[in-house]
Amino acid sequence: MKMNFHHIGLACFDLVKTLENMQFVYDIISVSPIVEDPLQKVSVCLVKIANLPMVELVMGKPVESFLSQGNAIYHMCYECDDIEQQIKIHKNAGDIVIQKPTPAVLFEGRRVAFLKTQLGIIELLEKYTPDHVTIHNEQDTKEEKDPLIANFTVLSTFSASPLLPILTYMADMLRLVISPHIVAHDQITSHLLSQSLQSNNNDQIVLLRLEDWDTNFDNDAASLSKTLHGQITSLYQATLTWVQNNHSTCIIIFCPSTPEFINDKLSAELYHELKQYLSSALNNSKVIQFIDFEEKVLLREIGNIFDLFMDRKARVPYTLLGQFYLSELILRTLHFIKRRPYKVLVIDCDNTLWEGVCSEDGIENILFTENKILLQKFIKLLSNNGFLICLCSKNNKDDVLKVFNEHKGMELMLDDISTYRINWNKKSINIKEISEEVGLSTDSFIFIDDNPIECAEVKQNCPEVTVIRLPEDDKIPEILYAHWALDNVASTEEDHQRKKFYQLEKKRKALLEKKTNFFI
């Protein structure tokens, strides 16, 4: 029976210190999150190294006696199709089973078995199949321990029924508990008005495509524009009536119309004017969310999502790919509304905010690529929306501050930074200190760093922090959109007041320092 080599298992006393030492010797590509395996009773992570086999680092009591004998190579792992059959083959060859097949957290519930052979200990890893049940770390996020629950109604100008199985499937994959109700199309206003008269805890998702309101095919552009303005006004008034009588959320998702409708029937100028009219009206209400699905389709360069045949036959305007992205947007929006709010972004400096190491390369030699500038603009947007932005860098403080104060390529300014820890301490220690300083728990923190070792260290010592490893430069735009934790479409007055407080506090401390220096 065929076995494929998978990785080498190395035993260690301290995962983080071992990772820190490895980065000086090997070209590390990536490090998986460090996970606690309650069944194996060990802490483990996978390390991908350029031009070398993958390594699993193992720490815990089961390997301590092994380490005390001066050994480090703990096992060789092989992936196999049928783990039970492979064990029989080894037993017939005289090998001894040390551990029977057991689900492993690191491998998403796939079973592993350990055998003592003449060549040492080997681990058998069963090949992945869709039937495997994912086993989760006990220290995973609150959403996984206490899954998000979303009861919502989908109202639309087109048939949204095909979204139901996609929503259900995606919610299961994302560990969201949902109870969706799809209303027949073209009943948005009547449904909102009728439901406003009774208590309704369902969130309302409105899928709006302007093209569907064009029921008079003889309309010229001016008449059509007037009709659409009237429809938008009716929708806005019905939505406000619903919101005033219910405590749930109402979200309007603007869906793209076909190029033929925009260019031939209406004109691109009038189309965008109508979209802006709707967006401004809803955003001014402060209780209704407006999301532009059309814009997100363009940003992600998804390509053609229109199914003209199904649109004519069944009022299903989008391809399966378009339906997938629309379903993702619905769940992502609900996830953002219902998850615990993130309030603090802690970010590295060298090779994160800029290319290069300022202490080694000098301020004049660090680079600001287009995507590094994009990252800084994104962080500035988070800051404007009430996030506290904090720096955490292993560096010389004066060198980093010099970049902020003097380099013309910087989009972020020191005024955007609430506090910083620029020293040589472990970043998990610095994050805990920042948490104490700003008075917010670390489960509201996001940490971004380009170094996989630093990410692993924070993940191990601050497991409640959401850790994002910044990818290669050309992948930065993708991670900014793809990572749900970075969604920040709204902010509260409390967020802005908190940021304002820290800005004033910084100025107060600076003033006190100047006074102290004066009296010296």
Side-chain angles (χ1 to χ4, degrees):
M1 181 169 288
K2 185 179 178 182
M3 292 196 306
N4 295 316
F5 179 78
H6 192 270
H7 67 261
I8 298 173
L10 298 181
C12 62
F13 287 111
D14 189 310
L15 282 176
V16 173
K17 285 184 179 179
T18 302
L19 285 168
E20 290 173 346
N21 291 332
M22 287 177 69
Q23 73 175 327
F24 296 112
V25 181
Y26 304 108
D27 182 8
I28 294 178
I29 299 173
S30 66
V31 179
S32 75
I34 297 173
V35 298
E36 306 291 331
D37 192 323
L39 299 177
Q40 311 289 343
K41 298 181 180 179
V42 291
S43 299
V44 290
C45 71
L46 284 176
V47 184
K48 289 185 179 180
I49 304 172
N51 304 316
L52 286 174
M54 188 157 55
V55 171
E56 178 187 11
L57 295 181
V58 186
M59 178 184 77
K61 286 189 177 180
V63 300
E64 287 178 359
S65 60
F66 187 81
L67 285 165
S68 65
Q69 299 171 16
N71 299 314
I73 298 179
Y74 180 47
H75 64 262
M76 298 289 180
C77 178
Y78 298 89
E79 193 176 42
C80 55
D81 293 321
D82 189 331
I83 194 168
E84 277 84 7
Q85 187 61 34
Q86 195 64 52
I87 289 173
K88 288 180 182 178
I89 293 172
H90 280 277
K91 288 175 71 174
N92 291 337
D95 297 337
I96 301 171
V97 177
I98 302 174
Q99 179 183 291
K100 295 179 179 180
T102 307
V105 174
L106 188 62
F107 301 111
E108 298 183 326
R110 286 192 281 168
R111 294 178 302 161
V112 298
F114 287 88
L115 300 99
K116 185 176 182 181
T117 72
Q118 293 180 352
L119 299 176
I121 296 175
I122 70 166
E123 178 184 25
L124 298 179
L125 169 64
E126 68 178 340
K127 195 172 182 180
Y128 175 81
T129 69
D131 298 326
H132 289 122
V133 177
T134 302
I135 306 244
H136 303 291
N137 181 7
E138 288 295 319
Q139 294 179 333
D140 275 345
T141 61
K142 288 181 181 178
E143 284 92 344
E144 291 175 333
K145 287 184 176 181
D146 187 14
L148 294 176
I149 299 174
N151 301 316
F152 59 96
T153 300
V154 177
L155 309 167
S156 59
T157 57
F158 53 86
S159 177
S161 298
L163 301 181
L164 184 57
I166 302 174
L167 288 166
T168 304
Y169 171 77
M170 292 181 69
D172 185 54
M173 295 292 291
L174 296 167
R175 302 176 193 92
L176 301 174
V177 179
I178 67 169
S179 179
H181 173 57
I182 310 289
V183 175
H185 59 78
D186 289 334
Q187 296 186 30
I188 299 174
T189 304
S190 60
H191 178 87
L192 289 173
L193 291 174
S194 65
Q195 289 298 308
S196 67
L197 300 175
Q198 50 188 295
S199 178
N200 189 328
N201 293 323
N202 276 18
D203 297 313
Q204 305 294 302
I205 310 291
V206 177
L207 307 179
L208 169 61
R209 190 175 70 140
L210 291 183
E211 185 171 355
D212 298 315
W213 279 341
D214 178 22
T215 55
N216 186 347
F217 298 105
D218 295 328
N219 269 344
D220 56 23
S223 299
L224 178 56
S225 176
K226 183 177 180 180
T227 299
L228 295 178
H229 266 98
Q231 292 277 24
I232 290 172
T233 301
S234 297
L235 171 64
Y236 174 63
Q237 291 172 346
T239 307
L240 276 183
T241 301
W242 184 87
V243 167
Q244 290 167 0
N245 291 279
N246 291 275
H247 300 292
S248 301
T249 304
C250 187
I251 302 161
I252 310 291
I253 298 180
F254 189 88
C255 299
S257 296
T258 61
E260 291 78 9
F261 172 77
I262 297 172
N263 297 322
D264 298 343
K265 290 283 306 214
L266 192 61
S267 86
E269 185 179 352
L270 280 173
Y271 179 78
H272 292 294
E273 178 189 314
L274 286 163
K275 181 163 73 169
Q276 186 60 41
Y277 171 65
L278 174 63
S279 172
S280 300
L282 295 175
N283 288 332
N284 288 336
S285 74
K286 297 183 180 181
V287 290
I288 307 166
Q289 290 203 34
F290 175 83
I291 297 176
D292 191 348
F293 177 49
E294 182 175 55
E295 180 182 82
K296 295 183 184 300
V297 169
L298 293 173
L299 285 174
R300 297 184 75 170
E301 298 180 349
I302 296 169
N304 179 48
I305 62 166
F306 298 106
D307 190 331
L308 299 180
F309 176 80
M310 288 302 295
D311 193 5
R312 287 193 299 269
K313 294 292 184 182
R315 293 283 293 276
V316 178
Y318 303 123
T319 62
L320 186 60
L321 181 65
Q323 295 170 31
F324 173 86
Y325 279 109
L326 182 53
S327 299
E328 180 205 27
L329 180 61
I330 291 171
L331 293 181
R332 185 168 182 165
T333 305
L334 290 168
H335 177 268
F336 170 79
I337 292 168
K338 296 181 177 298
R339 66 161 162 80
R340 72 183 189 280
Y342 292 107
K343 300 179 181 296
V344 183
L345 175 67
V346 180
I347 191 159
D348 177 43
C349 294
D350 288 336
N351 293 314
T352 299
L353 292 178
W354 53 77
E355 286 289 339
V357 179
C358 62
S359 298
E360 297 176 7
D361 302 329
I363 182 175
E364 67 280 359
N365 293 317
I366 61 173
L367 301 175
F368 292 87
T369 65
E370 182 180 348
N371 287 329
K372 296 295 188 189
I373 294 171
L374 175 67
L375 173 63
Q376 290 197 28
K377 288 181 177 178
F378 181 82
I379 294 170
K380 203 173 185 74
L381 176 64
L382 292 181
S383 175
N384 292 338
N385 277 354
F387 254 75
L388 299 183
I389 309 300
C390 309
L391 302 180
C392 184
S393 175
K394 286 185 176 179
N395 226 319
N396 295 317
K397 183 174 76 171
D398 292 343
D399 293 327
V400 171
L401 297 184
K402 187 177 181 181
V403 176
F404 273 85
N405 288 323
E406 299 182 15
H407 204 296
K408 295 180 179 179
M410 287 292 294
E411 287 286 337
L412 278 175
M413 299 289 107
L414 278 178
D415 285 344
D416 299 312
I417 308 302
S418 297
T419 188
Y420 54 75
R421 292 296 185 277
I422 305 172
N423 51 43
W424 301 99
N425 295 338
K426 285 185 176 181
K427 294 196 174 182
S428 60
I429 294 175
N430 286 333
I431 287 173
K432 290 174 182 177
E433 289 183 359
I434 291 172
S435 172
E436 291 181 8
E437 179 180 340
V438 302
L440 294 169
S441 62
T442 50
D443 66 356
S444 65
F445 278 48
I446 298 172
F447 173 68
I448 300 179
D449 199 307
D450 69 295
N451 190 323
I453 308 300
E454 300 294 350
C455 290
E457 188 275 324
V458 171
K459 192 66 177 174
Q460 182 185 31
N461 295 313
C462 298
E464 63 284 354
V465 172
T466 295
V467 177
I468 301 174
R469 186 200 168 191
L470 193 73
E472 297 298 322
D473 190 75
D474 62 335
K475 297 290 194 300
I476 288 176
E478 182 180 331
I479 198 71
L480 293 182
Y481 180 82
H483 208 296
W484 290 23
L486 296 175
D487 288 346
N488 189 45
V489 297
S491 56
T492 65
E493 183 62 26
E494 180 188 355
D495 294 330
H496 289 287
Q497 290 298 327
R498 185 188 305 109
K499 184 189 171 189
K500 185 177 179 181
F501 167 79
Y502 282 110
Q503 287 173 334
L504 292 172
E505 185 66 10
K506 278 174 63 180
K507 291 179 181 178
R508 185 187 70 82
K509 287 181 179 178
L511 183 61
L512 286 174
E513 188 174 330
K514 285 183 180 179
K515 286 184 177 180
T516 303
N517 292 337
F518 175 79
F519 285 109
I520 288 173

